[in-house]
Amino acid sequence: MDAALRKTLDELPPDPGCYLMKDRAGEVVYVGKAASLRSRVRQYFDRGGTDDRIFVPLLADLLGDIEVIVTRSEKEALLLENELIKKHRPRFNVRL
């Protein structure tokens, strides 16, 4: 993981919101929501994590940037996540 991405992870807010994971070309590859952006996004990079989705191990090498959007509540984050997935159509979001 490069230094810029590590810095982004270190500066994530503990607030609810959405995160957009982008590849090195700037294309959105995954959109997610979180009650705590700091805790949720860092889980993707924990070595002993329990997330068994196929794409998670690929993220450390694939990602170029993570953009976050802070919301006022988890409900607002859920609605925003839905809109962002429809807008960007990221390849790792399959449910919406």
Side-chain angles (χ1 to χ4, degrees):
M1 179 183 324
D2 64 7
L5 190 54
R6 173 57 56 197
K7 184 175 189 261
T8 300
L9 289 175
D10 291 341
E11 295 175 352
L12 290 170
D15 306 311
C18 289
Y19 51 93
L20 294 89
M21 294 184 170
K22 299 178 180 182
D23 63 13
R24 296 182 194 281
E27 181 181 337
V28 176
V29 294
Y30 186 73
V31 174
K33 67 179 176 323
S36 168
L37 289 165
R38 176 178 292 155
S39 296
R40 180 64 186 120
V41 174
R42 286 181 171 194
Q43 286 177 348
Y44 288 101
F45 302 97
D46 287 343
R47 296 282 184 229
T50 59
D51 196 333
D52 60 353
R53 291 177 289 176
I54 292 174
F55 73 91
V56 173
L58 305 173
L59 291 177
D61 294 329
L62 177 74
L63 292 183
D65 191 22
I66 299 173
E67 179 182 339
V68 297
I69 302 169
V70 176
T71 60
R72 291 179 293 228
S73 67
E74 290 178 59
K75 183 178 180 180
E76 188 176 323
L78 176 66
L79 296 171
L80 179 59
E81 178 192 36
N82 186 25
E83 290 177 32
L84 291 170
I85 290 171
K86 288 177 181 176
K87 177 181 178 182
H88 295 286
R89 302 187 58 79
R91 64 180 165 184
F92 293 129
N93 287 94
V94 293
R95 291 190 181 163
L96 296 175

